[in-house]
Every structure is written in structure tokens, then in C-alpha cells.
Amino acid sequence: MPAYYADLHIHIGTAAGRLVKVTASRDLTVERIIQFVPREKGLSILGLVDVSSPAVQADLQGLLAAGRLAEHPRGGLVSEQLLIIPGAELELVLPDRGAAHYLAYFPSLEACTEFSIAIRSYLTNPYLSTQNVALAPEAALELVESYQGFFTPAHAFTPHKGVLGCCVPDLAQAFPSFLPHILTLELGLSADTKMADTVSSLSQLTFLSSSDAHSLPKIGREYMRVNLVELSFEALRAALAREPGLNMVEANYGLAPLLGKYHRSFCSACGRIFAASLAAVTTCPDCSTGHLVLGVWDRLQQIADQSSRSPSHRPPYYYQVPLEMLPGIGPKTREKLIQRVGPEKYILNESQPEELREAVGEKVVQTILRARQGQYELVPGGGGYYGRVKMV
Ligand SMILES: [Zn+2]
Ligand SMILES: [Zn+2]
């Protein structure tokens, strides 16, 4: 049965000539994504999380009208080897606990469009990404389900709008009535399966590793390998829900958590990321300004209730360093590698040294091969700054 690669958290910079995500790059458009991702990233399943915007809906309508995409009878927008899942990222406030981001995925453009119309009176600007929606998380979940969608916490542990990172220590407190409806949880770049499996109440959830891409190169820095009987929304949903049958998530791929932007605590007054070897840091030891941005690792020390223990359904998690994070590989070298060798995923994990040598110099070849063998040191990220890779 075919294995597909899925990245379910991709933003849109502009659509139909309008700005959609202000912090995303302008050339992150539906058209560029469709052209670029299958060839350069080797991914087949893309969750677009700004289809709540009428501008993105218009672009997708155009592709459907032109016959470049088609509605699959069991959900999703498909072309030959591509499945697009229409989705939305929402910011929802839990009274007295704070705001967090959630993702909703829908079987059709129509369902996503109707959902976006239903939430319009609860938000400020329907054209923009990740709008604050004046609905309680449970009310939003119910609404998503009424349009046949499913709902998942986004980047769950981050101090910046992660429900477990900055709102509650336990999902049951955010979803007292609908907890069984939450089947998945997005890990975010600063966490992996091993870290998340220190919280026993998450053991029944399927962990999503997605890129939260705000530009084309960042698509596919995290993804999943899924076995599906067909490229459709229903097959993907069955895999994520671990329904009995052949559809299943086989593996998660992602950054080593140290490379994430919020891995360790960061004091914005001292400008300091607390290094990997220290114990959990919840207040800055050097100043008392209270400007600490809690790290995902540090947060998990607070909410963990067991040493890491993964349930038997948990697929393996493979670490990879994207080309753009490897020292000495700039955009030109990256482009040359992709043109001559193949998609980034292939370059990183499978390519032969001879193939690489035909495209780039020996130093870059060695960097890629040593990265594949884990011969590097990681400098942890925090407070919005990515971690770094140092070759050893
Ligand atoms: Zn978000
Ligand atoms: Zn996002």
C-alpha cells in the first residue's frame, strides 16, 4: 500500500492579490505551493490552514474551475499525486487562562467556506490568517464538527499560544465536555514524541508533526509518513483517528526539539537562552524582571506526570535537519541540490555520495552525510530564536 508524506500546517502569504498572513512571505501562494512542494519537498498531502480566508477560497475555486484540482468523493482536493486539505487556524480564548491556537480541517472547500461564514461575526478581519474568534474552545470544536471537520490543538506546548504551554496543564481543563473528540495533538517544532509522552493523559492521542510554514523553504521541515488506501480526506482522517483498517501513520519526522524556537526558557531582559544541561528554568536566576519566556522543555517538566513512556501505537520519530539549517548551505546551494539530485527529503535521507558530488563540492557533501549520521552538536533555541547546528 502506498506511503505518502503529509505536512498539515502550511500558511498562505497572499491570495487573490491580498495579504493573508502578514508574517508569512509574499510568494507563499497556493499556486507556488502546488508547483513547488511535490517537486522540491516530495510531499503529497498538504494541510492549508488559511482556507478560512475568502481570498484563499477564491484561489482554490479558480484551480477547481480550471480542472487543475478536483473534489475527491471522500473528501479533499486532489490532483494527480497531491491531496490538499482545506483548513483553518483559530485563536480561541479560554476565560481566565489565556489564548491558544487550534487547527480545523475540513473534507471540502464548501464545508470550510461555510464554516468561515459561520464564524465571521465572531472575528475582526475574515481575510487574515489565525484570527481571534470570540468563541470558547468547546463551542468552536462543536461548530467545526457540524461542518464534518476535525479539530486539534496547534503547537500544543509552546509559550506562544500553545494550549498546554500557556493556558492549562491538562487538556481536560480546556475541554471538560468534549475531551473524547480530540484525537490528535500537534507537537510543535520544540517538542517530539518522547517529550510529549511524559504526560500520561496524552497517550491516546495521535501526535502530528507539521511545519507551521510561513515560507516555501520551511514547508516539510516536519511531516508524517502515512499509509493510506487512497489519497482522500477520509483515509487521512481514519489514519489519524487510528480507526481499524489499513490507513495509519507510520512515522513522524521533525527537527530535533533543541532546534525549535521555544525549546528552552529565555529571559528577554538578559537576552539569555538557558542551556540544555540546566534543570527546568521558570524564573530567571539573574534578574527579577519577570520577562521569562518559558521553554517547551521547561514547561513539560512542570506538567509531566511520568518518565517518558510511549504507548504501543506510537510510531517512531525520526530527526532530520533541513538543508537550510545546515551550516554552509545557502539558498543557491540548496536550489542546485534540489535541481540536480531530487526532493529535499531524498537528499537528506537517501541520496548517495556520488549523486551529491555531481551537484556540489566535497565540503557540502560531507555536511549532508555527517548530518544524516547525527554527527553534529545542537545549540538549543528559545524565546523565538531557533536553535543552531554545529558540525563536529
Ligand atoms: Zn499558531
Ligand atoms: Zn500556524
Side-chain angles (χ1 to χ4, degrees), residues 5 40-43 223 320 342-350:
Y5 293 89
E40 299 208 0
K41 298 289 184 174
L43 306 171
Y223 54 86
Q320 58 170 16
E344 180 165 354
K345 191 159 59 57
Y346 176 80
I347 295 168
L348 290 173
N349 301 315
E350 295 160 53

Side-chain angles (χ1 to χ4, degrees), residues 232-266:
S232 75
F233 174 86
E234 276 312 323
L236 176 69
R237 171 151 75 179
L240 299 179
R242 301 199 311 283
E243 286 174 7
L246 298 171
N247 301 302
M248 64 178 76
V249 179
E250 278 197 329
N252 294 81
Y253 292 80
L255 302 184
L258 268 74
L259 290 173
K261 279 202 275 194
Y262 295 105
H263 184 68
R264 288 306 310 265
S265 290
F266 171 83

